[in-house]
Amino acid sequence: MSVSDPSKVHTFCRICEPGCGLLAEVADGAVVRLQPDSDHPVHKGFACHKGVHYLQVHDDPDRIDRPLKRMNPRSEERGVFEPIEWDEAVAEIAAKLLQLRRDHGRNSVGIYQGNPSAFNGAYYANAASIARGFDTRMRFSAGTQDTSAKYAASEAIYGASMAHPIPDLLHTDYFLCLGSNPAVSHMTLIHISDPMAKIRNVKKRGGTNLFVNPRQIESAGPETGEVLLIKPDTDFYFLAGIVHEIAFGIGFDREEVQRHAKGIDELLDFVAHYPVERVAEVTGIHAARIRQVAAEFCAAPSASVYMATGVNQGRQGALAYWMLNMVSLLSGNLGRRGGNIYSRGVADVVQNSKRRRADPFFTGPLGTMRTVSGDLPAALLPDFIDNADDPIRALIVVSGNPLLSVGGGARLREAFGKLELIVTIDLYRTVTGEMADYVLAATDWLEREDINFLNTMGVAMEPYVQYTPAVVAPAGERRDDWWILSRILQEMGVATLLDDPHPDPFAIVDAVMNDSGLSVDLLKKMPCQTAVLPEAVPSQVFSIAVQHDDGLIDCFPAVFESACRTAADIYDELVAEPLGQLKLITRRTNFMVNSWLHNLPVLKQGVHQDNPLWINPDDARRLSLVDGDTVHVSNRYGKVDAVLVCDDTLRTGVVAMTHGWGQGAARGLDVARRHPGVNANQLSPTGAGAFDPLSNQSHLTGINVEVSRDTRTAAGGNL
Ligand SMILES: Nc1nc2c(c(=O)[nH]1)N[C@H]1C(S)=C(S)[C@@H](COP(=O)(O)OP(=O)(O)OC[C@H]3O[C@@H](n4cnc5c(=O)[nH]c(N)nc54)[C@H](O)[C@@H]3O)O[C@H]1N2
Ligand SMILES: Nc1nc2c(c(=O)[nH]1)N[C@H]1C(S)=C(S)[C@@H](COP(=O)(O)OP(=O)(O)OC[C@H]3O[C@@H](n4cnc5c(=O)[nH]c(N)nc54)[C@H](O)[C@@H]3O)O[C@H]1N2
Ligand code: SF4
Ligand SMILES: [Mo]
């Protein structure tokens, strides 16, 4: 395969974080095939079926090619949309935004930025200045459903929200993995190619992998390691128990820790409340087993620890991440080969996320609150819209689908109904788009130039930077996200990149790469347009990641104090819970990505045509339910009906659903609409109390639910 063959283009997938290298085959100006790129110096031919099937997104007849305008009132459920010209669309949107700002102030306009924006280099590099252009405090993103717990914790512990010591999976002897299922999701906030191969190698080297999860996940097994079945939403206590064990049982090198950190006594005073016997009561894991994990972790030549959305989305994700970092620090594994390391990547970008104020809280329209990486809690979106004093009146959604991805679906829908203007920028007219006044047609990643900018941000296992040209020209009138938002701003009279006769959306990326002697032009000349960067230097955790002025890791950040008190309350609440209380968790599958890819026929086959409620067979028996029953799943936030499927991979007391379904109202998505499933986030908390005030992270796992049979459609127990 030669780079000079014009019919073959080295590009990369932008669905999830590995960003796998792909080879696109082009004939007559059309992409005819996508396949794993075996020439890629890092991925070496690794990619999953979703990346390869992205061609079905690119070619999807339901894709929108031009801006659409809603012609009928939003009170009518069925939208009537007509194509309009870009100039007309942006002029009308800008006029409305200016009028709202003039009449009601700058916070009458809100922005929601969804997950795919992080994989769009040109947009991502300019997102901060675009957001500033809209001049509103009402900024929201998928981040508060995903990973803001980690941002808030790192900001407090290391002094920078993007300081994340990743597990050194290439060298570790012990890998403790909480709340992640790498076989399905390919990990997050660590960029790693083919994570399962790396995890299998730990075992092949004679090391150990241990998963902590309420479910026997696909990642576990004889080739990798076992699962410790934990009760949902209790990981913070589990990790605090391990810190307790290290601090008061196994012992640690205090002098060494003190060279790098402060607040050690306060940390020890705090974890003194969580001996393993107490932790066992809430986590459902025996004290002796927790003690054993701590001992094995400390005895291993090197040990690393990692957590992902399953922990972030609990009520105490930020505190859990704090404890995780303390496990690494006290056990001597932080900044050590095979332990948790900082991967600098292309430049010291961590400085850009340096904490500005020790106390991030301010008095906002709904009381005391903060932003995390610029974002308010998305769980409060309906409250901000309903806020009588200063409501959000217009919402711009870029590459997001908040109606399905944020908790309290029904309440959010009702709130969206009150907005005077909704604009979505998307590949499709989604359920959120169906409620919009304007749906603006975005390019997909085969249609735009890009750089895997996110991989350069300090969390890459094998750092590299790749450029891709647009593989083909955009179909119809599709435009890049950065261009669309800049055009709206331009029309509002705000200075943007578009003022330049030759706008370069990669200018910022070029400047950042300059640090490593690279540039976009240089990348273009390299094989696969890829530069492999030096591997991480473990000790850079201390020399680069720590951004506090005194250069010390803070083991007991003052900003955690109130959350520490809440931890004691949540402990009491969990211990007092009735036996048999069912807890809902999320189960991602390899046949969906959040709410998108639901329109791909290839992913809607067999059991993947619906999202059932999975339940442990013992719980099903206790509730007199059988496979195939239609059940009501309900709680104080909402109710959905789902088909019951018994699943002995679940811990007793745990039920699971896949989020991102519920596209029944999306008339723009023909395939997805025929396999609508239900929106699991109807059951997720919304409003005050639905998120962690320390991190703005939405509470999306371990949700209390009741399950009962729909007597009209029961399978009748004869299966
Ligand atoms: N219950 C529960 N809820 C969850 C989660 C969970 O585990 N459980 N996970 C959460 C997580 S981790 C996340 S990240 C959020 C995601 O939340 P969101 O980002 O709000 O939702 P997505 O479903 O990812 O929607 C992405 C949208 O972007 C569109 N899109 C794709 N590519 C592009 C592009 O290049 N340009 C534009 N303009 N649009 C594009 C897609 O068509 C889709 O409509 O959901 C969260 N919600
Ligand atoms: N196929 C596919 N791949 C994806 C996505 C997708 O939707 N589909 N989404 C992408 C996105 S946006 C993200 S952020 C990443 C997420 O990547 P991951 O965070 O690895 O996501 P999941 O595979 O959902 O793994 C979360 C795990 O947490 C477990 N869990 C739930 N509650 C708890 C709890 O309280 N404690 C513990 N210890 N575990 C718990 C669940 O059983 C599940 O196995 O995946 C990305 N990749
Ligand atoms: S693992 Fe993620 S980035 Fe890689 S091909 Fe699959 S979807 Fe794309
Ligand atoms: Mo995510």
Side-chain angles (χ1 to χ4, degrees), residues 360-567:
F361 292 95
F362 58 87
T363 306
L366 304 172
T368 302
M369 59 182 61
R370 66 171 299 182
T371 58
V372 176
S373 298
D375 294 324
L376 290 163
L380 283 183
L381 256 172
D383 301 67
F384 280 113
I385 295 169
D386 286 335
N387 164 32
D389 292 335
D390 190 11
I392 297 178
R393 296 166 192 267
L395 188 67
I396 300 169
V397 178
V398 53
S399 60
N401 200 358
L403 276 184
L404 296 184
S405 56
V406 178
R411 188 166 167 237
L412 198 57
R413 172 171 287 277
E414 200 185 312
F416 276 20
K418 298 175 191 162
L419 290 167
E420 290 179 41
L421 175 72
I422 302 177
V423 179
T424 60
I425 301 170
D426 207 294
L427 311 179
Y428 293 103
R429 207 170 91 216
T430 63
V431 280
T432 306
E434 196 64 32
M435 284 195 84
D437 302 282
Y438 297 88
V439 180
L440 305 181
T443 50
D444 62 56
W445 46 253
L446 290 166
E447 298 171 320
R448 61 176 187 244
E449 269 194 297
D450 219 330
I451 289 186
N452 65 330
F453 193 56
L454 194 74
N455 287 51
T456 65
M457 304 293 269
V459 290
M461 191 72 256
E462 299 162 280
Y464 68 91
V465 52
Q466 179 167 14
Y467 166 84
T468 175
V471 176
V472 285
E477 302 274 309
R478 297 172 191 170
R479 296 280 191 270
D480 289 0
D481 292 338
W482 74 267
W483 183 93
I484 297 171
L485 287 159
S486 301
R487 266 301 280 128
I488 296 172
L489 285 172
Q490 189 181 43
E491 211 59 30
M492 290 169 76
V494 178
T496 74
L497 264 186
L498 291 175
D499 299 340
D500 193 314
H502 304 287
D504 175 11
F506 295 110
I508 294 172
V509 184
D510 244 344
V512 171
M513 287 197 298
N514 197 17
D515 239 53
S516 296
L518 291 168
S519 67
V520 174
D521 282 341
L522 273 174
L523 287 179
K524 283 180 184 170
K525 297 185 190 113
M526 295 180 169
C528 298
Q529 306 99 238
T530 299
V532 177
L533 298 162
E535 68 171 21
V537 178
S539 62
Q540 289 184 342
V541 167
F542 307 116
S543 59
I544 297 181
V546 180
Q547 288 287 320
H548 286 309
D549 291 336
D550 59 8
L552 293 174
I553 294 168
D554 193 348
C555 295
F556 195 83
V559 74
F560 289 175
E561 272 168 25
S562 149
C564 288
R565 285 192 295 277
T566 311

Side-chain angles (χ1 to χ4, degrees), residues 61-184:
D62 285 346
R63 283 282 302 280
I64 46 171
D65 288 343
R66 308 179 57 181
L68 301 177
K69 178 181 179 175
R70 191 185 178 103
M71 307 309 288
N72 60 332
R74 238 186 290 127
S75 53
E76 288 172 27
E77 201 216 318
R78 190 187 187 116
V80 178
F81 287 86
E82 294 286 345
I84 63 168
E85 297 300 322
W86 274 109
D87 281 347
E88 224 180 313
V90 294
E92 289 178 19
I93 293 165
K96 182 68 186 172
L97 294 175
L98 284 173
Q99 175 243 312
L100 288 175
R101 272 234 301 249
R102 207 169 39 240
D103 297 351
H104 305 287
R106 66 189 187 108
N107 290 329
S108 57
V109 176
I111 305 176
Y112 175 93
Q113 180 178 292
N115 175 261
S117 61
F119 306 108
N120 179 341
Y123 169 73
Y124 200 69
N126 296 290
S129 66
I130 289 172
R132 270 196 305 278
F134 283 100
D135 188 29
T136 172
R137 237 181 173 169
M138 295 295 121
R139 282 170 55 186
F140 305 86
S141 84
T144 57
Q145 284 80 261
D146 182 343
T147 199
S148 58
K150 286 185 168 181
Y151 297 158
S154 280
E155 188 181 291
I157 301 164
Y158 297 102
S161 59
M162 280 310 290
H164 300 284
I166 57 174
D168 185 1
L169 271 169
L170 298 183
H171 305 97
T172 197
D173 299 290
Y174 191 104
F175 176 48
L176 181 61
C177 178
L178 298 95
S180 180
N181 192 3
V184 166

Side-chain angles (χ1 to χ4, degrees), residues 15-17 50 115 146 178-182 184-188 212-215 217 230-235 306 308-311 314 585-594 659 701-702:
I15 294 176
C16 76
E17 289 179 49
K50 301 188 299 298
N115 175 261
D146 182 343
L178 298 95
S180 180
N181 192 3
V184 166
S185 299
H186 302 99
M187 307 185 79
T188 170
V212 179
N213 203 298
R215 200 184 144 243
I217 45 174
I230 193 170
K231 287 189 186 170
D233 199 18
T234 66
D235 300 79
Y306 168 78
T309 58
V311 182
I585 66 166
T586 296
R587 175 163 165 190
R588 281 183 161 74
T589 77
N590 230 329
F591 292 78
M592 45 66 72
V593 172
N594 298 325
H659 72 294
T701 193

Side-chain angles (χ1 to χ4, degrees), residues 13-20 22 46-52 186:
C13 179
R14 277 146 275 173
I15 294 176
C16 76
E17 289 179 49
C20 303
L22 295 174
F46 174 78
C48 84
H49 69 132
K50 301 188 299 298
V52 172
H186 302 99

